[in-house]
Amino acid sequence: MTAKILDGTVLAKKLRADFKTRAEALAARGTRPGLAVILVGEDAASQVYVRNKVNACAQAGFHSEKISYPPEVEPGLVLAKIAELNADPEIHGILVQLPLPRHFDSDAVLKAIAPEKDVDGFHAENVGALMQGNPRFIPCTPYGIMKFFADAGIELKGKEAVVLGRSNIVGKPMAMLLMQASATVTICHSQTRDLLFHTRRADILVAALGRARFVTAEMVKPGAVVIDVGINRLPDGKLCGDVDFGPVSEIAAAITPVPGGVGPMTITMLLANTLEAAERGAH
Ligand code: NDP
């Protein structure tokens, strides 16, 4: 079997065309969706992510603001800026690029964002709403993955889903969404005793570990749907996922590539959340 490639670039393009139309309709009624992105420090990867987010906004016809601070900035200044953005009617979404420098209390910063503008969905109030099955904002990476399933007509009800990784931004919300879609979910992490036992019975396998090519073909059930969230840089500078793509794509039913899979969908769902926030505000 050769897996169907779940192409994030193609799906993202389709969704973004729809967002652009919706943004134009909203703008005609006097509201332009607006996103503010706060970047603290000089981390190269973070700078690329922020630039991509701001560019994606421009392409979709959204307003965006990038606010940059040096790594040694006083946290109080960032909190004051967040308070200002919370009150700014032109801003519907606020995002603080993580990770923050060590002298920051990241939880306190995320809590300072008004929950109705928390387009990353990391505020405790929004995490709670998601857990209760009544989400206001779904974290962008798992939200994008759910779009892959919907677009490809992949049934989740009754399926065995295994999520590798338990982070707040990917693993946990992913597991919650799969459970709410009536899959039977197992979450694995670094202390899981027999990883192979779990991965080999997964109909849906989501890898979010941050370990290059960790998931090999022998770990995958033939016919499984494999979602690769990982972004790892190899010594030669190339990017690869958490899944050993070549051999696994020989036995899986469907698979996301890296790059060109989950990554483009994550930014796309940031646009979706910003647009939804603007539409809510305009009603
Ligand atoms: P974290 O480092 O926060 O979490 C990694 C998780 O993997 C942890 O729960 C950890 O377990 C688990 N893990 C690590 N090693 C093993 C192992 N050998 N066996 C089993 N479990 C293991 O990462 P993130 O969730 O933030 O990100 C994961 C990956 O996804 C990264 O490569 C990141 O760059 C990428 N990413 C990609 C995005 C995209 O848009 N494509 C968006 C966000 C992230 P434990 O909790 O026990 O330590």
Side-chain angles (χ1 to χ4, degrees):
M1 179 189 299
T2 304
K4 173 186 165 73
I5 305 297
L6 302 173
D7 189 326
T9 310
V10 170
L11 181 54
K13 199 168 163 196
K14 191 162 95 180
L15 294 177
R16 286 185 201 195
D18 169 56
F19 299 162
K20 195 164 183 205
T21 309
R22 279 163 60 190
E24 280 163 6
L26 207 56
R29 289 162 48 207
T31 302
R32 191 170 175 220
L35 174 72
V37 183
I38 296 178
L39 173 64
V40 183
E42 285 148 4
D43 179 71
S46 292
Q47 286 181 349
V48 173
Y49 294 145
V50 167
R51 194 170 57 233
N52 289 345
K53 288 167 186 175
V54 170
N55 287 346
C57 280
Q59 283 161 15
F62 293 14
H63 163 69
S64 66
E65 283 176 32
K66 176 182 153 195
I67 303 122
S68 301
Y69 293 99
E72 66 281 0
V73 67
E74 183 58 42
L77 273 180
V78 177
L79 291 173
K81 184 68 191 178
I82 291 173
E84 195 185 298
L85 294 166
N86 283 342
D88 184 341
E90 293 197 348
I91 294 298
H92 306 95
I94 303 169
L95 177 159
V96 177
Q97 186 65 41
L98 300 175
L100 286 166
R102 293 159 80 93
H103 66 288
F104 272 79
D105 175 350
S106 297
D107 284 344
V109 172
L110 295 179
K111 255 191 217 152
I113 298 172
E116 59 280 6
K117 295 191 178 188
D118 166 42
V119 283
D120 259 340
F122 296 160
H123 190 291
E125 188 177 313
N126 290 325
V127 174
L130 175 67
M131 180 117 177
Q132 289 180 330
N134 189 23
R136 183 196 269 132
F137 294 112
I138 300 174
C140 301
T141 301
Y143 194 5
I145 293 170
M146 294 305 281
K147 291 286 176 191
F148 275 122
F149 298 138
D151 184 68
I154 294 166
E155 174 70 74
L156 299 172
K157 191 160 62 177
K159 295 284 174 66
E160 290 292 331
V162 174
V163 179
L164 304 181
R166 57 176 165 179
S167 70
N168 287 333
I169 66 170
V170 189
K172 282 186 208 163
M174 184 77 253
M176 196 55 59
L177 291 169
L178 287 165
M179 186 190 71
Q180 283 164 5
S182 294
T184 302
V185 183
T186 304
I187 306 175
C188 298
H189 45 75
S190 68
Q191 307 308 309
T192 297
R193 243 184 294 154
D194 188 352
L195 211 58
L196 199 63
F197 165 76
H198 295 289
T199 61
R200 289 191 71 156
R201 60 181 181 78
D203 302 310
I204 311 283
L205 182 62
V206 180
L209 306 131
R211 300 267 182 273
R213 296 180 183 147
F214 182 91
V215 177
T216 56
E218 66 145 8
M219 295 171 74
V220 176
K221 175 177 167 180
V225 173
V226 180
I227 305 292
D228 191 353
V229 182
I231 302 175
N232 308 289
R233 200 164 284 282
L234 295 169
D236 66 4
K238 287 195 183 136
L239 289 185
C240 81
D242 288 349
V243 176
D244 194 7
F245 182 84
V248 172
S249 62
E250 291 296 314
I251 58 162
I255 187 167
T256 59
V258 177
V262 174
M265 287 301 293
T266 295
I267 295 191
T268 300
M269 301 326 288
L270 174 65
L271 296 178
N273 280 344
T274 304
L275 181 60
E276 284 167 21
E279 287 173 339
R280 271 180 220 138
H283 286 139

